[in-house]
Amino acid sequence: MRVLLVEDAVGLGEAVRDQTMEDGHAVDWVQTLGFAEASVQTTAYDLILLDLVLPDGHGFGFLRKLRTNGNTTPVIILTARDQVSDRIEGLNAGADDYLVKPFDLSELSARVAAVARRYRGNPSPLIRVGHLEVDLGDHRVIRNGQPVELTAREWALFEGFIQRPGMLLSRSQLEDRLYAFGAEIESNTIEVYVSRLRKKLGKDAIITVRGMGYRLDTHDQ
């Protein structure tokens, strides 16, 4: 997924960014609401991780503006404010989940995955795509009864396909899943990772549509 992290505390921001990237997601990290607002205007995010108390304002205002403008991107609030009234206010403002600092990074990973599944309309972490069995929670793939080991970036790309089974994804859409703002993108990166996925999942698992992009074959093989 492409994730926007809005957090001004450097230590926590680095830890959350690194954990989320380790889980296979591309992360854009900003430290003010001004940069957050600019980011959501130019990039389609799959998830926003939002601190509340920021140098240029309060996260609730940013969240309410998102929802008022029709932006339905899922939002998980990360905050030290642990009063029940704060949680209620956050959820009423449009948050999808609320995680109180300090928190365990593994819990954050689990909540990110759970929120993503709900927004895809599939609360179960277990799905079947063609001849593949996929555990979205544990990032595991079974092919013909045998486990398939995917790297974090291979999983990030594969997850993009299984979120839109059978749909055509352009090169730029796939690059967004692998890279954050400012990252250097080599011209053949997508081809390299598609080739690796084909070797592991089957040579016909991902279909090339010349000049347009790629799609996942959803038929049993």
Side-chain angles (χ1 to χ4, degrees):
M1 298 190 296
R2 185 73 175 266
V3 178
L4 176 63
L5 169 61
V6 189
E7 171 61 65
D8 65 321
V10 175
L12 178 60
E14 289 177 344
V16 171
R17 178 199 60 194
D18 293 348
Q19 177 69 32
T20 307
M21 290 178 65
E22 188 177 317
D23 290 337
H25 309 301
V27 182
D28 296 329
W29 175 23
V30 299
Q31 295 174 284
T32 67
L33 292 175
F35 281 118
E37 290 176 358
S39 297
V40 297
Q41 289 172 7
T42 58
T43 304
Y45 289 100
D46 300 294
L47 178 70
I48 298 173
L49 301 175
L50 177 64
D51 184 22
L52 289 183
V53 182
L54 292 147
D56 56 343
H58 198 284
F60 282 156
F62 170 77
L63 178 54
R64 290 191 181 96
K65 185 176 180 180
L66 272 185
R67 298 311 188 218
T68 299
N69 291 339
N71 189 317
T72 60
T73 304
V75 174
I76 299 177
I77 289 176
L78 311 177
T79 181
R81 299 175 59 173
D82 61 353
Q83 297 297 316
V84 172
S85 58
D86 293 326
R87 301 186 193 195
I88 292 173
E89 184 178 1
L91 295 171
N92 286 341
D96 297 271
D97 204 348
Y98 197 106
L99 195 54
V100 176
K101 304 173 186 176
F103 51 79
D104 190 277
L105 291 173
S106 61
E107 181 181 2
L108 172 65
S109 296
R111 288 176 182 260
V112 166
V115 168
R117 290 197 302 270
R118 289 201 300 271
Y119 266 75
R120 289 196 292 265
N122 183 23
S124 171
L126 303 175
I127 63 172
R128 184 175 182 87
V129 182
H131 66 300
L132 304 172
E133 298 175 34
V134 183
D135 186 329
L136 298 171
D138 290 338
H139 294 187
R140 288 191 298 109
V141 180
I142 303 295
R143 177 191 178 197
N144 299 326
Q146 299 297 317
V148 177
E149 296 293 332
L150 298 182
T151 66
R153 286 205 162 178
E154 288 168 355
W155 172 265
L157 199 66
F158 178 60
E159 186 182 41
F161 286 115
I162 59 179
Q163 286 177 358
R164 301 170 181 83
M167 292 180 60
L168 182 69
L169 297 179
S170 68
R171 177 196 296 269
S172 63
Q173 286 176 303
L174 295 172
E175 287 174 344
D176 278 348
R177 301 198 61 84
L178 299 181
Y179 295 99
F181 284 141
E184 251 185 67
I185 303 174
E186 296 184 14
S187 61
N188 66 336
T189 295
I190 298 303
E191 286 83 356
V192 169
Y193 280 102
V194 166
S195 176
R196 291 180 183 177
L197 287 174
R198 284 173 173 155
K199 287 179 181 178
K200 293 182 177 183
L201 305 177
K203 61 183 179 66
D204 298 321
I206 299 173
I207 299 169
T208 300
V209 181
R210 293 195 179 280
M212 299 181 69
Y214 303 89
R215 64 180 176 84
L216 181 68
D217 185 7
T218 57
H219 299 96
D220 287 327
Q221 297 178 28

